[in-house]
Amino acid sequence: MCGRFTLHAEDLEILKEYDLTEMPNYDQRYNIAPGQKVLAIIHDGKQKRAGYLTWGLVPAWSKDLKIGFKMINARSETAHQKPSFKRLMSQKRCLIVADSFYEWERLDKGKQAKRIALKNRHLFAFAGLWDKWEHEGEELYTCTVLTRAANTFMQPIHDRMPVILPKEKENEWIEPLKRDPNEVYQFIQGLDIDPLEAYDVSDYVNSSKNEGQACIAPLI
């Protein structure tokens, strides 16, 4: 599962890293939670575009907006078979920009929050799916983060982890091409996982109401 992450890089760094011509209004975030806006990148057929999506997928056909809170993640192993995700795997793929994510390790004394990042890269992107929901003139753009089985580094912390795209695969993920969902599944299964690092942080991050650098401060 991926239920909380950060993005506090400078806007110019994001522009340069993803070869963007412009950015939406951007605020650094240290505790991004489901139901909130996340910075995402798509390719519109001419260029890459960055914008905000609500985290928690509401499929175009849904009659209940609350479904989004149940669909913050999609299992990459089965998404190509599920009605909620199959069409999106084919043609509505996005990058969800981050610089770390949180996970809670189960210990005898309870749970310990950990901040996890890439060893060799500051910015990275989760593989995401997005959709547009419309009803009586109202529009809502939402997304979900694809997950995979944990690698050997993550297994002691949690049995699932987000799909983090290698840098050289990011543009391929959002190519504006309609693909067979099974082909997209194979693409994900073939991805390498970049080396990760982690450290303990305070339980201050446990509440999604808390924000700021205290969320990422190493626990001493």
Side-chain angles (χ1 to χ4, degrees), residues 116-165:
I116 302 151
L118 296 187
K119 274 188 176 180
N120 305 320
R121 222 171 2 127
H122 181 205
L123 281 169
F124 57 85
F126 301 131
L129 305 174
W130 69 276
D131 207 356
K132 176 184 178 182
W133 177 90
E134 292 181 274
H135 181 67
E136 296 181 350
E138 182 182 358
E139 297 181 346
L140 182 64
Y141 293 84
T142 63
C143 65
T144 189
V145 175
L146 285 160
T147 64
R148 65 191 302 173
N151 65 355
T152 53
F153 178 87
M154 282 293 297
Q155 282 171 0
I157 303 172
H158 199 277
D159 62 353
R160 303 290 297 174
M161 64 182 291
V163 175
I164 299 173
L165 292 159

Side-chain angles (χ1 to χ4, degrees), residues 53-78:
L53 302 172
T54 299
W55 186 12
L57 187 75
V58 179
W61 45 261
S62 178
K63 292 181 172 24
D64 183 8
L65 293 180
K66 293 180 181 178
I67 195 174
F69 289 100
K70 300 178 181 177
M71 300 178 70
I72 63 170
N73 292 157
R75 295 176 69 94
S76 62
E77 299 91 339
T78 57

